[in-house]
Amino acid sequence: MPKKYIYLIITYVAMQLSVYLVVPFIELIENPQFFLVGWSLATFALALIISIYFLRDEIAAFFQSDQKNIGNIVLWSVLGSFLVIITQWVAVTIETFVFGIKPGSQNTMDLMNVARQAPIFIVIISVLGPILEELVFRKAIFGSLHKRMNFFFAALLSGVIFAAVHQDFSHLLIYTAMGMVFAFLYVETKRIIVPIIAHMAINTFAVIVQFSVDPEQIEQQLKQLEQLQLIITGGY
């Protein structure tokens, strides 16, 4: 793995762990939740700036190239977004009706609860997070693994790591499947910008859906889906 990719991963890990630097002082802060949102926004932005610096040669090469294939990038970004949605739906269906896992991601619900109280947090969900995750999990990790093994195993392994980082282990299948689709988009187009755009689009879509529906309605829909799950699996 090139050193710049190692530095990229270290930057991402340091950003994720940086919150522990302020935990001992959190009780001294008047509004800790808003402080943590501001801290997250600052550290995500700083991590992105540092990551861009490490990848500056590749970024410069893209803009200097005469074959950017913008139309192809746009087309695959749109198709990729729909492919991720379909994959997510299939994974949710398998989890619910085959493995009996309750629908609804706790990770997503926690993020949206923060976003409702501090809308600026949406910048992390829809922009900063997807960019950093694609640079780390697809470009650095998957890209390096793909040089040593075939696509399936490289995508699967990097997808599992991507899923584990989200700490929502009951929905490991969903995150892994999504990660594999993002890896497919990267390989098919040879442009990391494509899975970045698709990732941003799917996260933004999730935010819009969550904000357009009352939390109580979401809870009722999840309960109805659970009841349907019990009926189908014979657990009534």
Side-chain angles (χ1 to χ4, degrees), residues 8 10 45 52 108 131 182 235:
L8 195 68
I10 292 174
I52 291 174
T108 300
I131 296 175
F182 291 137

Side-chain angles (χ1 to χ4, degrees), residues 16-107:
Q16 292 283 13
L17 298 178
S18 66
V19 68
Y20 292 104
L21 295 175
V22 297
V23 168
F25 311 101
I26 204 69
E27 294 181 357
L28 304 176
I29 300 173
E30 183 176 350
N31 196 325
Q33 185 168 19
F34 281 93
F35 173 81
L36 290 174
V37 169
W39 179 270
S40 297
L41 188 62
T43 53
F44 265 82
L46 179 60
L48 179 57
I49 292 172
I50 295 173
S51 298
I52 291 174
Y53 174 77
F54 290 142
L55 299 174
R56 62 191 182 281
D57 56 335
E58 297 184 30
I59 295 173
F62 171 75
F63 283 105
Q64 293 171 4
S65 173
D66 295 329
Q67 298 181 338
K68 297 184 180 67
N69 296 321
I70 301 300
N72 191 55
I73 290 174
V74 172
L75 175 62
W76 272 102
S77 296
V78 174
L79 292 176
S81 299
F82 284 104
L83 183 58
V84 174
I85 292 175
I86 293 171
T87 301
Q88 192 175 31
W89 179 81
V90 171
V92 169
T93 302
I94 293 174
E95 281 190 351
T96 303
F97 299 113
V98 176
F99 297 112
I101 298 174
K102 291 184 178 181
S105 169
Q106 188 60 45
N107 177 64

Side-chain angles (χ1 to χ4, degrees), residues 161-174:
I161 297 173
F162 171 68
V165 168
H166 285 80
Q167 299 180 33
D168 196 355
F169 296 102
S170 60
H171 297 290
L172 198 68
L173 176 62
I174 296 175

